[in-house]
Amino acid sequence: MSKAVRYRHWIFDMDGTLTVAAHDFDAIRKELNIAIGTPILEAINSMPPALAKQTNEKLHQLELDIAAQSVAQPDAEAMLANLEAQGCQLAILTRNAEDIAQVTLEAAGLSRFFPQDLVIGREKCLPKPDPQGLQHLLTGWQASAQHAVMVGDYVFDLQAGRNAGTATVHFSPANEFHWPELSDHCINTLAEITEINQH
Ligand SMILES: [Mg+2]
C-alpha cells in the first residue's frame, strides 16, 4: 500500500506546465483576428456561429502543428513516475482540445501516465477557471477536494483550483509568482512537487 502523502489526487495543466511553453498566444490571436489581451476561447464563443466555426477550425490546425513539436518540461517524467509510485492519481485539465492533448503528450513522451479518460479538454467541461473539470475528476475518483491539488503555470489554473476547493501549485520556471493569494505552493522546478507531497 502507498505511503502517506499530502495530496492523493494531482491534476495538471498541460501546456507550459508538463510541457515547455510553446504557444505564442499573441501570434495565434493575430492569425485568428482576435484582439491582443482577449481570452481566445471566450472570443471565439462570442463570434457569429459561422465565423466561430471557421475560427475554431483554424485554431485547431494551429494547435495541432504546435502539439506535434511538444517537449516535456525538465523533471516532468521523473516527477510523474514518483507520484505514481506513491499511489497518487494523475489527470490533466487543459483548455486545449483532447485530440491535441493526446498528440502533445505523445510527442513529449508523457502519454503513459494519463489514460484517455483522465485527460479533460474543452469538449468535456467548461474551460478553466470554471471548476467543472476538476469537479468531474473528483466525482470520478470519489475524492474530496481537500486531498486534491491543481498544478499550473497560469492564473486560470489557480482560479480553477480555488473555485473547486483544491489546493493549488503555481509552477513558474521563470520564478515569477504573480498570484500569491491564489497559490498554496510556488515552485520553479517540477522536482519540488516530490517535496511538497511529503508530510
Ligand atoms: Mg498552461
Side-chain angles (χ1 to χ4, degrees):
M1 200 33 209
S2 44
K3 292 164 275 188
V5 291
R6 185 181 288 183
Y7 305 111
R8 177 68 58 198
H9 311 282
W10 287 80
I11 301 113
F12 293 89
D13 167 55
M14 185 179 67
D15 301 303
T17 298
L18 293 178
T19 63
V20 176
H23 289 70
D24 180 346
F25 286 108
D26 282 340
I28 292 174
R29 287 184 180 95
K30 212 172 153 199
E31 197 84 22
L32 301 178
N33 284 318
I34 291 171
I36 302 301
T38 312
I40 293 171
L41 300 181
E42 288 78 352
I44 293 175
N45 284 338
S46 68
M47 290 175 181
L51 181 61
K53 184 167 182 287
Q54 193 189 34
T55 307
N56 255 325
E57 281 161 13
K58 244 196 229 174
L59 174 63
H60 194 254
Q61 194 49 55
L62 286 170
E63 289 187 309
L64 269 179
D65 295 345
I66 296 167
Q69 298 166 38
S70 298
V71 175
Q73 201 67 244
D75 306 316
E77 190 174 0
M79 176 274 294
L80 293 169
N82 219 316
L83 290 177
E84 205 174 59
Q86 290 177 329
C88 295
Q89 288 177 301
L90 310 176
I92 284 178
L93 180 59
T94 177
R95 283 168 58 96
N96 219 322
E98 290 182 6
D99 61 337
I100 293 169
Q102 295 297 340
V103 172
T104 301
L105 292 169
E106 265 160 47
L110 300 175
S111 58
R112 71 182 167 93
F113 295 105
F114 302 100
Q116 211 165 344
D117 60 328
L118 294 175
V119 178
I120 310 300
R122 60 177 173 242
E123 295 91 339
K124 221 169 262 152
C125 295
L126 291 171
K128 294 172 283 187
D130 195 282
Q132 209 181 65
L134 289 173
Q135 287 160 349
H136 170 85
L137 286 164
L138 293 174
T139 302
W141 284 328
Q142 298 187 293
S144 121
Q146 61 176 344
H147 299 130
V149 55
M150 175 75 216
V151 184
D153 69 320
Y154 192 54
V155 65
F156 289 160
D157 305 312
L158 306 170
Q159 288 169 333
R162 278 286 183 271
N163 290 338
T166 72
T168 55
V169 176
H170 182 194
F171 169 60
S172 168
N175 218 14
E176 289 169 0
F177 299 105
H178 301 300
W179 309 288
E181 71 285 1
L182 296 172
S183 310
D184 295 314
H185 309 274
C186 294
I187 59 174
N188 58 22
T189 70
L190 291 179
E192 289 167 72
I193 282 179
T194 305
E195 290 156 42
I196 290 175
N197 220 22
Q198 282 159 358
H199 267 291

